[in-house]
Amino acid sequence: MLFQVRMDVKIPHDLPAEQVAEVLAAEKAYSQELQRQGSWRHIWRIAGQYSNISIFDVADNAELHALLSGLPLFKFMHIEVTALLRHPSAIRENDS
């Protein structure tokens, strides 16, 4: 199943810089591993915001929830999820 996920990050200003650096490094490693595995298909930064739009390809809602809740920044995020279906007028069978 394909899902569009918008993630808006709000790191508290009073979080120590050392802790912020650690969580950001862990977030990058985790997200890049999910991309290598193919479940995190695309990620785009939203210009001017600490936000992204991503496309996930997972088996079901439960798998998506597990991946998202495993994000090191999860507790600092507002997340919106939209399930996606191929449009009947699409000329491609995949997202290439």
Side-chain angles (χ1 to χ4, degrees):
M1 294 182 69
L2 292 177
F3 292 91
Q4 173 189 292
V5 179
R6 179 182 173 134
M7 297 175 233
D8 299 307
V9 181
K10 304 232 186 313
I11 298 174
H13 296 292
D14 59 349
L15 198 63
E18 180 179 292
Q19 191 174 353
V20 171
E22 289 173 8
V23 76
L24 291 177
E27 180 80 10
K28 183 175 184 176
Y30 180 75
S31 68
Q32 289 182 343
E33 182 56 31
L34 293 177
Q35 290 173 68
R36 283 187 204 82
Q37 293 172 5
S39 53
W40 196 326
R41 298 286 296 274
H42 302 279
I43 182 170
W44 294 276
R45 171 77 67 203
I46 298 174
Q49 300 178 32
Y50 195 176
S51 302
N52 73 72
I53 297 285
S54 293
I55 303 295
F56 285 81
D57 189 356
V58 294
D60 54 29
N61 296 343
E63 182 181 0
L64 180 64
H65 180 75
L67 295 179
L68 294 176
S69 62
L71 290 165
L73 284 171
F74 180 75
K75 63 184 174 182
F76 306 121
M77 291 181 171
H78 172 77
I79 298 175
E80 293 179 16
V81 176
T82 304
L84 301 174
L85 299 170
R86 182 136 332 269
H87 194 281
S89 296
I91 61 171
R92 293 182 181 84
E93 292 298 317
N94 59 33
D95 61 355
S96 62

